[in-house]
């Protein structure tokens, strides 16, 4: 597998995207709109599935998800319902360049569209200006929008293999004309710790 300072595509794991799509079709009615809550950081419609609020079930009650959770062995915090999400980005949605709050890394499983859809943009830290000092802290920081001067490229997620992303590096989303649905596992070990444990094999549970 290729390891960079921002991404690792787990080519040792193949997940069943169509199985996740069928689950999403079943639970999509439980989407909660986050557009207003995140209006300072986003443009467009953005929602997350909140099954426990409507169905009284935990994400881990679904084998489609629990079987994927069982593949990984983080240290700082177990992968459980509070750090699992199915996020839905509507056509034209934009998430301004930012670093994430609290979580250090995230495992991404594209569900829709079938090819993984629009990837994630990544940027030079300088796009944050004076807020660069908050990189690799628990404080999220955001730039006002996409800026070609600091844009480094776009990572295309695999719709076959899950990808680990460094959530403390500046990233953003500029969605196209398709609805983009992803399963996410938030991690609280730093990306560097994850990389070390991937290399040693400790990051993965034996099947």
């Amino acid at each position: 597998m290729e390891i960079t300072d921002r991404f690792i595509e787990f080519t040792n794991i193949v997940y069943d995207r169509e199985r996740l799509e069928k689950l999403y079709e079943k639970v999509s009615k439980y989407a909660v709109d986050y557009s207003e809550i995140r209006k300072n950081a986003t443009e467009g419609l953005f929602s997350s599935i909140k099954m426990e609020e409507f169905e009284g079930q935990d994400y881990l009650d679904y084998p489609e998800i629990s079987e994927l959770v069982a593949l990984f062995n983080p240290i700082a915090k177990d992968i459980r319902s509070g750090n699992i999400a199915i996020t839905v980005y509507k056509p034209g949605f934009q998430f301004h360049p930012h670093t994430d709050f609290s979580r250090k890394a995230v495992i991404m499983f594209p569900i829709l569209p079938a090819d993984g859809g629009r990837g994630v943009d990544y940027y030079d830290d300088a796009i944050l200006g004076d807020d660069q000092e908050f990189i690799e802290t628990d404080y999220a920081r955001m730039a006002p929008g996409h800026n070609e001067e600091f844009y480094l490229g776009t990572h295309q997620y695999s719709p076959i293999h899950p990808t680990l992303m460094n959530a403390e590096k500046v990233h953003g989303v500029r969605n196209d004309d398709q609805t983009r649905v992803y399963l996410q596992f938030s991690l609280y070990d730093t990306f560097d710790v994850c990389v070390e444990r991937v290399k040693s094999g400790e990051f993965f549970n034996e099947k």
Side-chain angles (χ1 to χ4, degrees), residues 116-188:
R118 173 77 187 187
V120 60
D121 297 331
Y122 51 99
Y123 298 85
D124 189 282
D125 294 344
I127 195 172
L128 296 180
D130 292 341
D131 282 348
Q132 290 179 72
E133 65 181 286
F134 292 101
I135 288 176
E136 297 185 354
T137 71
D138 286 337
Y139 299 96
R141 285 298 181 265
M142 180 188 67
H146 174 77
N147 188 323
E148 283 291 328
E149 180 182 354
F150 303 105
Y151 171 66
L152 298 177
T154 299
H155 178 83
Q156 187 65 42
Y157 289 118
S158 168
I160 301 171
H161 308 296
T163 298
L164 179 72
M165 186 190 79
N166 187 342
E168 295 187 299
K169 290 289 188 180
V170 185
H171 58 282
V173 175
R174 291 176 293 155
N175 200 19
D176 54 20
D177 59 355
Q178 302 181 87
T179 295
R180 182 178 182 267
V181 181
Y182 277 50
L183 171 65
Q184 303 186 20
F185 296 163
S186 295
L187 302 182
Y188 299 87

Side-chain angles (χ1 to χ4, degrees), residues 30-136:
Y30 302 124
V32 174
D33 181 16
Y34 279 4
S35 304
E36 187 63 24
I37 298 172
R38 299 285 186 90
K39 65 182 180 181
N40 292 330
T42 66
E43 293 178 20
L45 297 177
F46 162 52
S47 59
S48 184
I49 305 299
K50 291 288 186 181
M51 293 181 290
E52 66 275 15
E53 294 184 10
F54 301 100
E55 202 173 57
Q57 287 193 288
D58 189 285
Y59 271 114
L60 295 177
D61 292 330
Y62 296 87
E64 298 94 331
I65 293 177
S66 62
E67 291 170 12
L68 294 174
V69 168
L71 297 174
F72 304 103
N73 182 34
I75 301 173
K77 188 181 292 188
D78 290 339
I79 301 172
R80 52 183 183 269
S81 190
N83 47 31
I84 300 171
I86 295 176
T87 53
V88 183
Y89 305 97
K90 293 296 187 180
F93 170 84
Q94 294 188 42
F95 210 138
H96 301 321
H98 65 284
T99 57
D100 288 1
F101 169 74
S102 181
R103 71 181 182 182
K104 307 296 185 182
V106 58
I107 303 172
M108 304 290 254
F109 302 81
I111 300 175
L112 287 172
D115 64 357
R118 173 77 187 187
V120 60
D121 297 331
Y122 51 99
Y123 298 85
D124 189 282
D125 294 344
I127 195 172
L128 296 180
D130 292 341
D131 282 348
Q132 290 179 72
E133 65 181 286
F134 292 101
I135 288 176
E136 297 185 354

